[in-house]
Amino acid sequence: MQSIALVNCYLGPFPWYFPFFIKSCAANPTIDFFIFSDTNFDKVIPENVKIIPFTLEQFNKIATLKLGFEVNVKTPYKLCEFKPAFGALFSEYLETYDFWGITDLDVVYGRIREFMNEETLAYYDVICVRNDYITACCMLFKNTEYINTLFEKSKD
């Protein structure tokens, strides 16, 4: 089975619906979830969820180092603009996975492996939950150098 990790950076207090997100992660034990956050979650979390202590200052430092230019994000909301680069920014956490992806915390997942199955993973390098446009609520990227640096080709 191909391995998958989903990543989110969330700074500030977790939203009221965060326990629902965590519960849906538990229903997907073959997928790991990395949440980089400056907030502690004092409830029990499943083994496949890792909440990594993280600050905006750490993000700016890592992004500056790995992207090769000065990054000085001042508000946590702007972290969403870096989602396509998460494969490069968090490569140390993702190196053992076949696919990495981005997720939002306002998603309640069903059984992900039923639609992100082995046949789909073998065929596609980038998988989005919408077919008409790219959306960042849930996307998967094949964990290769080429795919992990696709963001560098964007004029934005």
Side-chain angles (χ1 to χ4, degrees):
M1 179 182 305
Q2 295 197 59
S3 55
I4 300 173
L6 292 173
V7 179
N8 184 278
C9 282
Y10 195 90
L11 302 178
F14 289 123
W16 65 268
Y17 48 80
F18 187 65
F20 299 110
F21 172 79
I22 293 295
K23 180 95 171 147
S24 74
C25 295
N28 290 283
T30 63
I31 297 174
D32 289 336
F33 295 81
F34 291 93
I35 303 165
F36 294 85
S37 182
D38 61 354
T39 301
N40 291 324
F41 187 63
D42 58 359
K43 308 266 193 278
V44 175
I45 59 172
E47 287 184 28
N48 64 322
V49 176
K50 283 63 168 153
I51 299 178
I52 313 294
F54 201 66
T55 65
L56 194 56
E57 293 76 24
Q58 286 174 295
F59 178 85
N60 287 330
K61 183 178 178 183
I62 289 169
T64 295
L65 177 71
K66 293 200 174 185
L67 299 178
F69 59 86
E70 184 69 27
V71 174
N72 190 18
V73 175
K74 295 189 184 333
T75 61
Y77 181 75
K78 289 303 216 176
L79 295 176
C80 66
E81 294 181 7
F82 289 85
K83 284 182 176 183
F86 281 5
L89 296 177
F90 301 115
S91 59
E92 291 83 9
Y93 293 90
L94 304 172
E95 62 190 2
T96 63
Y97 294 91
D98 298 308
F99 282 82
W100 66 272
I102 51 180
T103 184
D104 285 342
L105 300 185
D106 61 353
V107 177
V108 175
Y109 288 107
R111 293 183 295 260
I112 296 171
R113 292 281 185 177
E114 287 191 18
F115 55 95
M116 300 289 187
N117 56 38
E118 290 303 304
E119 181 181 327
T120 300
L121 296 174
Y123 189 78
Y124 296 101
D125 291 342
V126 178
I127 304 169
C128 184
V129 296
R130 295 202 53 132
N131 65 358
D132 48 347
Y133 62 87
I134 299 284
T135 179
C137 66
C138 180
M139 286 185 70
L140 290 183
F141 301 89
K142 190 167 195 132
N143 197 7
T144 65
E145 179 75 20
Y146 175 75
I147 297 298
N148 291 351
T149 57
L150 272 178
F151 70 92
E152 294 174 354
K153 297 186 182 331
S154 171
K155 64 183 170 86
D156 299 323

